[in-house]
Amino acid sequence: MYTVWCPDSCWLDDTRANSLDIMEKKELKHKVLCSAQHSEQPETRQVKGIVGTFLSFPERVLTSGNLLYGDLGNIAQVYPGKQSNTNLEKRYKNRLHWNNDTGVFTLSDLQIDDSGVYTVENADAEEKMTHTFQLTVYYVLSKPQVTVHDNISCSVVCSVENGREVTLSWYRGGEKLNQTSSPDLNITLSLPLKVDEQNRESYRCEAANPVSKESAAVPHSCIESDPSKVAGGVKRYTRTGVT
């Protein structure tokens, strides 16, 4: 027993299918092929944006189509005659634009909550085409701060404000020593480290997310307390050799 699916959702078993004449079988084959094509889900493309900048969706609508967002549905329409309405939703007012020359939708002054699934519907051709994009918007990271926790042991702490997909790492040269991250976006990430003063300049703390990267060095105030490097009660900076 086998079943075939056709656009009008009818089901046929093998007894009925065997009774079809040649023309009906050809028509059925065509319907099944069409159904298989239409049942394929469009690929979702990942796109990244930065807060305060703009993003142009890389699919064109030249004469007729729509831009949809998540549960909101239609947020912009394009009509024949190169006319458009991009103010269907208040949150996108004066930020969403359609270029009647290129056919591209552009969203400006990106905000974190603009992240989500957008669908460009292109009705220029006889058959409507859809293109789906998963937009994720990120902040550009600030420079991490490295503070000395203990001068004697040269223990330092690196910190940065947390955000979407932010990682905080310590490196010595090209070697990653440790790393931290947190799903709680309302905290400050912190990562301690005990530094070898003789190789202090080889250490760096790096904060990164998918759109930006910032690093900071160990402060000069982290001085090793080895008595051999102290003369007359004055500590010497290993790097400069000044007493």
Side-chain angles (χ1 to χ4, degrees), residues 12 24 100 166:
L12 291 94
E24 288 177 316
N100 60 13
V166 172

mmCIF file of all heavy atoms in Angstrom, residues 12 24 100 166:
data_model
loop_
_atom_site.group_PDB
_atom_site.id
_atom_site.type_symbol
_atom_site.label_atom_id
_atom_site.label_comp_id
_atom_site.label_asym_id
_atom_site.label_seq_id
_atom_site.Cartn_x
_atom_site.Cartn_y
_atom_site.Cartn_z
ATOM 1 N N LEU A 12 -4.789 9.172 -2.039
ATOM 2 C CA LEU A 12 -5.200 8.071 -2.898
ATOM 3 C C LEU A 12 -4.445 6.820 -2.483
ATOM 4 O O LEU A 12 -3.249 6.883 -2.180
ATOM 5 C CB LEU A 12 -4.875 8.355 -4.378
ATOM 6 C CG LEU A 12 -5.682 9.465 -5.064
ATOM 7 C CD1 LEU A 12 -4.927 10.770 -4.980
ATOM 8 C CD2 LEU A 12 -5.945 9.101 -6.513
ATOM 9 N N GLU A 24 -4.567 10.827 -16.487
ATOM 10 C CA GLU A 24 -4.730 11.124 -15.077
ATOM 11 C C GLU A 24 -3.442 10.851 -14.306
ATOM 12 O O GLU A 24 -3.074 11.591 -13.403
ATOM 13 C CB GLU A 24 -5.881 10.303 -14.491
ATOM 14 C CG GLU A 24 -7.256 10.770 -14.943
ATOM 15 C CD GLU A 24 -8.349 9.889 -14.386
ATOM 16 O OE1 GLU A 24 -8.171 8.651 -14.418
ATOM 17 O OE2 GLU A 24 -9.363 10.430 -13.923
ATOM 18 N N ASN A 100 13.605 52.100 -4.368
ATOM 19 C CA ASN A 100 12.885 51.736 -5.587
ATOM 20 C C ASN A 100 13.804 51.534 -6.789
ATOM 21 O O ASN A 100 13.339 51.147 -7.861
ATOM 22 C CB ASN A 100 11.793 52.769 -5.914
ATOM 23 C CG ASN A 100 12.365 54.160 -6.117
ATOM 24 O OD1 ASN A 100 13.571 54.345 -6.256
ATOM 25 N ND2 ASN A 100 11.483 55.148 -6.132
ATOM 26 N N VAL A 166 28.913 37.320 24.661
ATOM 27 C CA VAL A 166 30.199 37.901 25.043
ATOM 28 C C VAL A 166 31.036 36.846 25.772
ATOM 29 O O VAL A 166 30.533 36.120 26.633
ATOM 30 C CB VAL A 166 30.010 39.128 25.950
ATOM 31 C CG1 VAL A 166 31.354 39.606 26.508
ATOM 32 C CG2 VAL A 166 29.337 40.251 25.175
#
